[in-house]
Amino acid sequence: MMTTQPILLRDTWTDTAASDTFQAHNPATGQALNDRYPVSDMSTLRQLAQAAAEAARELENRPPEQIAGFLRTYADNIDTHREAIAQIAHTETALDHHPRLVNTEMDRTIDQLRQAADAVENRSWVCASIEPDLDLRSQYEPLGGGVLVMGPSNFPLAYNGIAGGDFAAAIAAGNPVIAKGHTLHPGTTRLLAEQALAASKTAGLPEGSVQMFYHCKPEDGLELIRMPEIVGVGFTGSRKAGLSLKKAADETGTPIYLELSSINPIFILPGACESRGEKIAGSIAESMLAASGQQCTSPGLLILPAGAAADGFINTLSTALTETEPKVMLSADGAEHLDESVRTVRDAGAKLLIGGKRVHPDARFEHTLLSIDAGDFLKKPEAFQREMFGTAALIVLCERSDQFDSIIETLEGNLTGSVYSQPEGEDAEPAQRLARLLRRRVGRLLHNEVPTGVSVRPSMVHGGPFPATGHPGFTAVGIPTAIHRFAARRCYDRADRRWLPEGLRDANPTGRMLRRIGGIWTTDDVGKASPKADQRSVSSSR
């Protein structure tokens, strides 16, 4: 029997008004799955926003231990139900059940939540700054409303709106979250939301701290972002959709953090190409094939010197790709979009080397390589920087060494950029020069490594210049800094001690603080005696 699933509103699974319904599909078979899911209307979205705003007033005053307890309990709940969650995610996305979903991505999801819990408890994310000589204090605090989180299609667990990195960061900062599911994996989102609700009730979070709806009309989604109750937005998806959301957010000054598009260029210098080009090609093939190329860090632009070594590299890479059977993509639409992107790059002048066609009737696409000379690339570089979201890449062959530099200067912003070189010899100086140029175009610079595989560690940066993201100063991965996207920096200037948050009171220090002593910035324990600094400087009112 077909059932229309309820949404999560004010801690209750609720059947609300809907403008329509939709079904998920199994991309491996093309068959629609049984359940239907509502397309929520504006009245429902308003209820979600209002509930989040009400929860925010309570949540920002709850002790850190309570929020940390929620995050840890939620992580434990997911761990307990990992098999059921992974199975439905596999059915809805065709991503490998083992090890991808049930182990690798599931472990990352759980670890992100636990890292966020640690950051909440030890308050590392607040970055408290205290100058006792001036009686001046500041720290990061909650935004004071609901955060809307919209996850992508390609990571149903680790980037899911109700469980992924953006969710963990927003909750850790003390904000209620309204999660929007993705139409390709709504059942996965429902199971995760069930565990989030159970954890919220166990932890005693305010009603409405965690809410979820599945879908809405695009114009209604833009109106939701414009609502005053929404104080922050996290989005991972297409450039077209993300820019539309950004425009709506900018109208009201709502902070929005976007992950949009990346081709992740890889530069292979002559020494590396000649000495180990075939080995590098094998590594790149594995990177391209991961998740059928449907990763935001998949290599899509390969730049190397023309010649016999390049021929060997291309032959090895082509063989590795053609000998591997194409896997089912996330959806038939995904295969169609890849087909359109490949045709666009070919129409611009690239030569097809292998693949280039859909494998009918299901959601598969031949593994694809294209090539072009650097001179032709440089005539219209914007035409060849089309993201081909799948197992596809463009090879650019350089006749002259200066063309490497010229190509970098034309690149849009990317999440990653890689340089392969020999440590010594002819590659040494060019590698250093390329690294200096490339680091301005990417969020993460790699040396002799492929870009896939993002370590969920504090030092990681998963971001970059536009259009990789909407802002180059933030990261979606790497706690505690990822939390700052959903936080406000607030200052207390000679404030009554009773007004201060607990962590900013000298008598109750929490960890190491940034402070100024005698005009010098240093870190020290809050509450220590310090020399009298210079008198407060005169400043303007702005």
Side-chain angles (χ1 to χ4, degrees):
M1 181 179 177
M2 191 172 295
T3 302
T4 298
Q5 294 292 339
I7 68 167
L8 181 56
L9 170 65
R10 293 185 182 273
D11 285 19
T12 303
W13 290 103
T14 307
D15 293 314
T16 56
S19 59
D20 200 355
T21 61
F22 70 95
Q23 290 172 267
H25 289 73
N26 182 333
T29 65
Q31 297 298 309
L33 301 177
N34 285 334
D35 289 340
R36 302 194 72 88
Y37 300 88
V39 179
S40 296
D41 66 3
M42 276 306 305
S43 66
T44 299
L45 300 183
R46 289 192 187 94
Q47 292 179 64
L48 289 163
Q50 184 58 44
E54 293 170 6
R57 289 190 281 272
E58 293 186 54
L59 188 61
E60 66 182 2
N61 294 314
R62 295 298 175 91
E65 294 77 16
Q66 189 174 10
I67 297 174
F70 160 73
L71 289 163
R72 289 204 178 93
T73 300
Y74 187 19
D76 292 344
N77 289 355
I78 293 174
D79 197 7
T80 300
H81 295 86
R82 69 165 61 214
E83 178 58 42
I85 295 169
Q87 186 56 56
I88 192 168
H90 168 67
T91 301
E92 292 183 322
T93 66
L95 292 169
D96 291 338
H97 176 271
H98 176 82
R100 161 66 193 264
L101 291 171
V102 76
N103 295 121
T104 306
E105 190 177 340
M106 190 76 72
D107 289 346
R108 173 176 170 176
T109 305
I110 292 167
D111 184 50
Q112 288 172 165
L113 293 167
R114 289 176 176 160
Q115 284 191 35
D118 290 343
V120 172
E121 256 183 0
N122 63 34
R123 297 182 60 78
S124 58
W125 71 276
V126 304
C127 297
S129 173
I130 298 178
E131 295 185 73
D133 49 337
L134 302 180
D135 199 9
L136 188 64
R137 308 147 199 268
S138 66
Q139 67 175 11
Y140 285 106
E141 297 181 6
L143 288 171
V147 171
L148 174 63
V149 177
M150 293 171 278
S153 61
N154 59 329
F155 277 84
L157 308 178
Y159 277 83
N160 196 295
I162 197 69
D166 284 1
F167 172 88
I171 287 284
N175 306 289
V177 169
I178 301 172
K180 178 191 175 297
H182 196 284
T183 54
L184 294 190
H185 46 73
T188 305
T189 302
R190 177 177 59 82
L191 292 189
L192 289 168
E194 288 175 355
Q195 300 312 318
L197 176 60
S200 178
K201 290 184 174 181
T202 297
L205 294 189
E207 180 182 277
S209 295
V210 177
Q211 300 182 98
M212 186 275 295
F213 70 103
Y214 296 101
H215 194 40
C216 64
K217 293 179 180 178
E219 59 270 24
D220 291 345
L222 298 179
E223 191 59 35
L224 173 61
I225 288 175
R226 295 187 187 101
M227 293 181 188
E229 296 89 351
I230 302 300
V231 296
V233 181
F235 170 82
T236 303
S238 72
R239 186 189 307 193
K240 181 179 179 181
L243 292 181
S244 178
L245 297 172
K246 186 178 188 304
K247 183 178 179 181
D250 288 346
E251 291 174 10
T252 55
T254 303
I256 183 168
Y257 300 97
L258 310 165
E259 186 183 318
L260 301 175
S261 175
S262 190
I263 56 175
N264 306 301
I266 294 179
F267 292 81
I268 306 170
L269 292 178
C273 194
E274 291 171 7
S275 64
R276 52 195 172 94
E278 294 184 4
K279 182 178 179 180
I280 294 171
S283 297
I284 291 175
E286 291 181 10
S287 182
M288 290 178 61
L289 289 166
S292 299
Q294 298 165 113
Q295 296 193 76
C296 47
T297 54
S298 184
L301 185 66
L302 314 176
I303 303 97
L304 59 157
D311 293 341
F313 171 91
I314 292 172
N315 287 336
T316 300
L317 180 58
S318 298
T319 299
L321 295 180
T322 54
E323 288 182 348
T324 305
E325 191 73 20
K327 291 186 177 181
V328 176
M329 297 185 69
L330 293 166
S331 69
D333 284 345
E336 181 61 37
H337 291 153
L338 177 56
D339 186 35
E340 180 184 348
S341 296
V342 169
R343 282 188 279 110
T344 298
V345 175
R346 290 186 68 182
D347 290 345
K351 175 185 176 183
L352 182 67
L353 298 179
I354 62 169
K357 299 191 301 293
R358 288 191 64 179
V359 180
H360 292 285
D362 57 13
R364 300 174 194 259
F365 196 90
E366 293 178 339
H367 301 152
T368 299
L369 287 177
L370 305 102
S371 71
I372 192 167
D373 294 334
D376 291 329
F377 178 95
L378 290 168
K379 290 176 183 176
K380 45 182 178 180
E382 68 286 345
F384 298 107
Q385 295 185 60
R386 173 75 175 257
E387 183 181 38
M388 296 181 286
F389 198 63
T391 307
L394 173 65
I395 297 171
V396 183
L397 298 171
C398 299
E399 296 287 349
R400 306 189 313 274
S401 60
D402 64 304
Q403 290 176 323
F404 283 84
D405 301 45
S406 299
I407 288 171
I408 291 179
E409 295 292 352
T410 70
L411 290 180
E412 296 180 329
N414 279 273
L415 294 171
T416 75
S418 305
V419 177
Y420 277 85
S421 70
Q422 288 296 88
E424 307 296 337
E426 63 176 319
D427 286 353
E429 190 281 327
Q432 186 174 358
R433 186 182 68 253
L434 291 181
R436 286 197 301 267
L437 294 172
L438 189 56
R439 69 185 179 188
R440 294 185 286 111
R441 307 281 176 167
V442 302
R444 177 164 59 109
L445 178 65
L446 299 101
H447 186 209
N448 291 333
E449 295 289 345
V450 294
T452 44
V454 177
S455 300
V456 185
R457 305 294 298 171
S459 298
M460 177 54 64
V461 170
H462 188 66
F466 181 83
T469 71
H471 194 301
F474 295 89
T475 176
V477 176
I479 290 171
T481 51
I483 300 173
H484 295 161
R485 295 171 298 158
F486 306 112
R489 190 74 185 175
R490 296 201 170 98
C491 178
Y492 300 84
D493 188 347
R494 291 163 289 187
D496 187 306
R497 219 180 143 272
R498 291 168 294 183
W499 301 357
L500 298 176
E502 184 175 345
L504 292 182
R505 298 173 188 168
D506 282 354
N508 189 9
T510 55
R512 308 279 288 182
M513 304 297 178
L514 182 67
R515 56 202 278 122
R516 194 178 76 173
I517 300 176
I520 299 174
W521 287 104
T522 185
T523 57
D524 206 349
D525 292 327
V526 177
K528 274 190 176 181
S530 63
K532 185 71 176 177
D534 298 336
Q535 292 296 314
R536 176 180 294 270
S537 59
V538 177
S539 62
S540 67
S541 61
R542 291 181 63 85

